[in-house]
């Protein structure tokens, strides 16, 4: 990583453009997500925790924090709220006393599946905004450059978990 | 936009992947940005307002809200704080009494330029994570697909403002 391999102007332009594009898209996703899960009395962090625990068939708090991109304390506190609602249980493993595992209860699984059934692609703003590209390419865009950046930022692990959760979606729908 | 032009599985996979990628990148940008402007006693909304008003040579509150992707009330309240610090002034135009315009004061311009001079690309995590792609392509990735999605989401206006602010960066650095 040679400092001289880009000019300050290039750096600023790239950084500014990425800020404006990712903020724009993330805020849209966030708003849609909130609207989607609110009827289930869930916020997006809580739904993300259910999502991760469901698709990974149980998960460590550290995995939820990493893949959910939330502080460990946020992951723990929202998991605790879900536990109090009877949607998940905490446990330790015999051979791994340091990590706390989260496992959905039957109620948690049912609630999560209800949220998935309530997902209406017609109300998914991002999806609708991506249809013109799908019409051109014949499929939704793949964003491999973004994937490669995320790999640099969060490590190979992050993409492994993404792969496991997409495999789980492929099996179930 | 034909509902049948994609399967529910495709929709979920795409939506899930975009959620994980854009959240990951946006949260990284947000964290770097906070660290960058904190020494100037600014939060990222305040800095974004200075940024927009600086590069657009004055801006309407509605433009700040649109391009900064914040509620009009957020744009107004943080602008008010900057006004109280003497960094910007509010005004109305003779021929446009409905809109409030924001104009940086000399102090605002100086402070904004100081923040830009303090920007250290070496501490910009996103930039560093994008260098492997730059080494492959010879330039930073362009993300035209993301641009096209943002155009669908926020309208041509949004990209016009992005174009004006990048032109301003090109002139000044």
């Amino acid at each position: 990583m040679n400092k001289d391999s880009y000019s300050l102007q290039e750096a600023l332009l790239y950084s500014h453009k990425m800020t404006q594009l990712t903020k724009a898209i993330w805020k849209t996703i966030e708003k849609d997500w909130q609207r989607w899960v609110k009827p289930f009395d869930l916020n997006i962090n809580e739904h993300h925790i259910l999502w991760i625990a469901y698709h990974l068939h149980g998960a460590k708090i550290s995995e939820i924090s990493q893949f959910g991109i939330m502080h460990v304390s946020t992951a723990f506190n929202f998991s605790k709220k879900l536990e109090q609602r009877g949607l998940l249980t905490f446990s330790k493993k015999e051979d791994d006393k340091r990590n706390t595992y989260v496992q959905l209860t039957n109620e948690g699984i049912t609630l999560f599946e209800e949220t998935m059934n309530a997902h209406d692609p017609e109300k998914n703003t991002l999806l609708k905004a991506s249809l013109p590209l799908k019409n051109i390419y014949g499929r939704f865009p793949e964003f491999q450059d973004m994937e490669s950046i995320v790999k640099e930022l969060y490590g190979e692990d992050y993409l492994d978990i993404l792969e496991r959760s997409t495999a789980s979606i492929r099996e179930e729908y």
Side-chain angles (χ1 to χ4, degrees), chain A:
Chain A
M1 294 195 203
N2 180 357
K3 197 179 174 174
D4 302 320
S5 66
Y6 53 85
S7 69
L8 184 59
Q9 193 196 63
E10 263 184 302
L12 280 173
L13 285 172
Y14 175 67
S15 185
H16 177 52
K17 185 174 160 182
M18 283 300 279
T19 300
Q20 293 294 146
L21 295 180
T22 55
K23 185 174 185 185
I25 294 182
W26 168 245
K27 292 290 170 186
T28 298
I29 291 176
E30 201 177 30
K31 212 188 283 175
D32 276 355
W33 199 352
Q34 275 162 350
R35 190 166 31 202
W36 167 28
V37 300
K38 211 179 162 204
F40 299 93
D41 195 20
L42 293 167
N43 64 36
I44 66 175
N45 281 323
E46 290 164 343
H47 191 253
H48 212 173
I49 293 169
L50 294 178
W51 178 289
I52 295 165
Y54 181 91
H55 285 296
L56 302 189
H57 309 290
K60 286 182 261 189
I61 291 284
S62 59
E63 283 177 322
I64 290 172
S65 158
Q66 189 198 5
F67 193 52
I69 314 162
M70 41 183 119
H71 280 278
V72 173
S73 62
T74 308
F76 182 78
N77 291 336
F78 282 116
S79 295
K80 193 80 203 158
K81 288 198 176 177
L82 296 169
E83 190 211 19
Q84 284 158 358
R85 282 172 66 178
L87 299 171
L88 57 80
T89 55
F90 288 121
S91 63
K92 299 265 182 193
K93 289 204 174 160
E94 258 317 304
D95 56 345
D96 176 14
K97 293 282 184 197
R98 285 179 318 154
N99 285 303
T100 303
Y101 284 77
V102 155
Q103 193 84 40
L104 297 193
T105 60
N106 287 335
E107 288 75 12
I109 291 171
T110 305
L111 182 71
F112 180 75
E113 288 173 350
E114 278 171 21
T115 66
M116 293 311 286
N117 292 333
H119 179 264
D120 180 358
E122 289 289 300
K123 287 188 189 145
N124 185 323
T125 320
L126 172 74
L127 210 66
K128 285 201 283 185
S130 307
L131 287 180
L133 287 174
K134 185 172 184 300
N135 291 337
I136 296 170
Y137 297 146
R139 51 178 172 67
F140 286 109
E142 301 217 330
F143 291 107
Q144 285 173 327
D145 287 349
M146 259 167 89
E147 234 178 86
S148 138
I149 291 172
V150 168
K151 188 178 121 189
E152 290 291 323
L153 291 172
Y154 294 82
E156 191 86 59
D157 272 14
Y158 188 89
L159 293 187
D160 286 348
I161 303 183
L162 181 57
E163 190 41 55
R164 279 162 67 198
S165 72
T166 53
S168 164
I169 295 175
R170 273 197 193 89
E171 276 164 30
E172 298 182 38
Y173 296 93

